[in-house]
Amino acid sequence: MGNAQAASWPWSSSEPSKTAVPTTPSSAPPTVPVEPPPPPPPQSATIQSTPPSIPVAAEPMAPSTSDAKATGKGIGLGTFEELHKPCKDIALMPFDGIKFTVNKGLSSHFQVQHSVTLNNEKSSYKFGSTFVGSKQPSPTEAYPVMVGEMSNEGDLQAQFIHQIFSPVKLKCIAQTSGSKFQSLQIGADIQLKDASISMVTADPNLLEGTGMLVVHYLQAITPKLAMGSELLFQRAKHRQQAMITLAGRYQTKDWQLAATLGLAGLHTSFYRKANENVQVGVEMEASLKTMESVTTLAYQFDLPKMNLLFKGMMTSEWTVGSSLEKKLLPLPITLQLTGSYNIKKDKVSCGIGAVLG
């Protein structure tokens, strides 16, 4: 998404996923209860081609808007990166093979996760840990938050989020591949009464004068309408470039329409909450460089009385998929079944998983 889309950064921006430019970090930390039970595994964001499964409380690394300042009729403004978040939250994340995850809460502030994935292409083991501090600006948040994950190949990803004072959050993400340092992002979010500002620098090198700077600004025009922009500046040894992206969002209690447009592409999304159990979203990403586009229809059915969550998707690339998540109460076990089929390529992908804790 966005002009700040990077080849493997875990944060989203406003451009289709094919742009090889780093994105900005998430705007808000994961929601963390004071006495959290061991969480289910998150649908973690990607830094490499294989998504990490870092445990961040009971939520994926994608941020929530629970801490955003409310404007108008109580609708959270959020940040620039969260413009398309409702559609991302209900998106299907299929996996291939067998996955087994164990979550263990060692205390109200510290938890660990073990994850094993087996498939035909690549099997892996990952160990993750999460520490949550005692500073609580709201009942669903606590700071600082420190998250880390290491794979059996020695790849390490670490994230740090801290709210220094009410409107300002600092964030840092670092990644190593084996013994080699791979990437670094440092950023901050400033949440004002009716606006939000985000800044992030990626791989800064003060000695050579290289790196990337991304600045986001989102302003509430009315209680339902917000507009903003993104400025990306990248400097290498022998060249430099700057790009700008414009964005807008119209949001009500039950639906929202958002769009971002820049030199690299167009990204639009529509989200509708039909009722407490049914949500639907449509997302379109188009690249002006390759003149290609992808449209995805996603839907989610939540049946709390049956402890059942169902997701489905259809894409313009002739892919259909679905997933089912069932809590086997009173046992602390969650069963996961997922499958996808590409009609054009005649390729089937199936996965089965279990979460203990």
Side-chain angles (χ1 to χ4, degrees):
M1 296 170 50
N3 294 327
Q5 174 68 35
S8 44
W9 290 87
W11 294 322
S12 62
S13 181
S14 57
E15 177 197 346
S17 58
K18 296 183 179 179
T19 308
V21 183
T23 58
T24 59
S26 304
S27 62
T31 57
V32 181
V34 181
E35 296 290 338
Q43 299 172 354
S44 42
T46 61
I47 277 188
Q48 293 180 334
S49 57
T50 302
S53 54
I54 297 180
V56 183
E59 293 293 332
M61 289 193 64
S64 67
T65 57
S66 60
D67 63 326
K69 296 288 184 180
T71 61
K73 300 180 180 179
I75 300 176
L77 174 64
T79 61
F80 190 96
E81 298 91 348
E82 297 176 326
L83 289 175
H84 305 284
K85 185 178 184 296
C87 287
K88 298 296 183 183
D89 286 344
I90 65 173
L92 175 65
M93 302 291 289
F95 60 89
D96 189 17
I98 300 175
K99 180 184 291 186
F100 181 69
T101 303
V102 178
N103 296 310
K104 177 63 176 178
L106 303 181
S107 70
S108 60
H109 299 283
F110 188 71
Q111 62 184 23
V112 296
Q113 181 189 68
H114 303 268
S115 180
V116 178
T117 302
L118 304 174
N119 55 45
N120 294 330
E121 296 181 357
K122 184 179 181 181
S123 300
S124 64
Y125 164 77
K126 295 180 180 179
F127 172 77
S129 62
T130 301
F131 173 80
V132 179
S134 56
K135 180 181 179 181
Q136 285 189 273
S138 71
T140 58
E141 293 179 294
Y143 298 95
V145 177
M146 291 181 285
V147 181
E149 180 188 73
M150 176 170 283
S151 69
N152 59 306
E153 296 179 347
D155 298 337
L156 173 66
Q157 176 188 349
Q159 181 177 15
F160 173 80
I161 304 174
H162 187 47
Q163 186 180 56
I164 300 180
F165 48 91
S166 182
V168 179
K169 294 184 182 69
L170 295 182
K171 298 158 293 182
C172 178
I173 278 190
Q175 184 189 9
T176 63
S177 180
S179 59
K180 182 183 297 184
F181 183 81
Q182 188 169 349
S183 59
L184 173 67
Q185 285 193 359
I186 302 173
D189 288 338
I190 304 175
Q191 195 74 49
L192 306 177
K193 182 178 180 181
D194 59 354
S196 66
I197 303 172
S198 300
M199 295 174 288
V200 60
T201 176
D203 294 332
N205 190 326
L206 300 179
L207 298 179
E208 298 183 359
T210 61
M212 176 178 293
L213 175 66
V214 183
V215 180
H216 288 161
Y217 179 77
L218 187 64
Q219 174 69 54
I221 308 300
T222 69
K224 297 182 179 180
L225 177 64
M227 301 187 70
S229 62
E230 172 191 78
L231 175 64
L232 180 148
F233 178 77
Q234 183 179 20
R235 183 174 182 179
K237 291 184 178 181
H238 304 292
R239 64 183 179 87
Q240 61 184 22
Q241 62 175 349
M243 293 184 288
I244 189 169
T245 298
L246 302 179
R249 179 189 65 195
Y250 188 84
Q251 182 183 34
T252 68
K253 181 179 179 181
D254 297 323
W255 65 272
Q256 80 160 42
L257 177 65
T260 53
L261 175 63
L263 297 176
L266 171 68
H267 186 184
T268 61
S269 66
F270 175 78
Y271 166 82
R272 170 71 178 178
K273 184 177 181 180
N275 53 51
E276 292 298 325
N277 301 327
V278 180
Q279 303 175 65
V280 181
V282 181
E283 202 169 4
M284 191 274 287
E285 297 180 81
S287 172
L288 300 180
K289 182 178 180 180
T290 61
M291 301 305 293
E292 296 179 352
S293 65
V294 177
T295 302
T296 303
L297 169 66
Y299 51 94
Q300 175 178 297
F301 297 92
D302 187 9
L303 303 175
K305 293 184 179 180
M306 300 178 60
N307 299 308
L308 185 66
L309 180 67
F310 179 83
K311 289 185 177 183
M313 74 166 184
M314 295 181 291
T315 74
S316 59
E317 295 182 325
W318 299 96
T319 299
V320 295
S322 63
S323 69
L324 182 146
E325 185 175 302
K326 171 69 174 179
K327 294 182 180 179
L328 305 179
L329 299 179
L331 300 175
I333 299 177
T334 301
L335 178 64
Q336 299 173 329
L337 300 174
T338 180
S340 62
Y341 175 55
N342 187 288
I343 301 174
K344 188 175 181 180
K345 299 179 180 179
D346 193 25
K347 182 179 180 181
V348 178
S349 176
C350 298
I352 181 172
V355 180
L356 177 61

